[in-house]
Amino acid sequence: MIARVTFVPLITWPITALSILLIVLSVILTGFILLHKGRGGGLSDLFGGGMTTGMSGTSVAERNLDRLTVIVALLWVLCIAGLLVLYRFAL
């Protein structure tokens, strides 16, 4: 009896890696968005993000959280674009 060998294309490991990265980035992005202060406060108030400094209206922690959220969101979009390109070549 001859065993059948199926070949897996080499493009599957980047798709798997980007898919795992996309899941991790999605969870991190969701957490960062939930930490933002809304109109009446938010989860960021639980961790001291509600204290404002001076008359600026936003704390240093809130500005850093904004920057981190934007960076993670850009990585998330790049990951989706990378998966789009890889799936296009895989099919």
Side-chain angles (χ1 to χ4, degrees):
M1 183 184 271
I2 299 174
R4 285 191 95 173
V5 177
T6 56
F7 292 101
V8 178
L10 291 177
I11 203 157
T12 57
W13 74 265
I15 291 175
T16 304
L18 276 179
S19 297
I20 292 170
L21 182 64
L22 181 66
I23 292 169
V24 170
L25 286 175
S26 297
V27 170
I28 292 171
L29 186 61
T30 303
F32 282 167
I33 290 172
L34 287 175
L35 282 174
H36 274 37
K37 184 173 25 171
R39 292 182 186 189
L43 288 178
S44 61
D45 287 343
L46 293 174
F47 303 108
M51 296 182 209
T52 57
T53 58
M55 303 206 20
S56 64
T58 59
S59 66
V60 174
E62 190 73 25
R63 284 190 301 242
N64 288 335
L65 184 61
D66 289 342
R67 289 183 189 123
L68 285 173
T69 304
V70 169
I71 290 169
V72 171
L74 288 175
L75 289 173
W76 186 76
V77 168
L78 288 175
C79 189
I80 290 175
L83 279 172
L84 177 68
V85 169
L86 287 175
Y87 274 123
R88 203 138 191 200
F89 286 124
L91 298 178

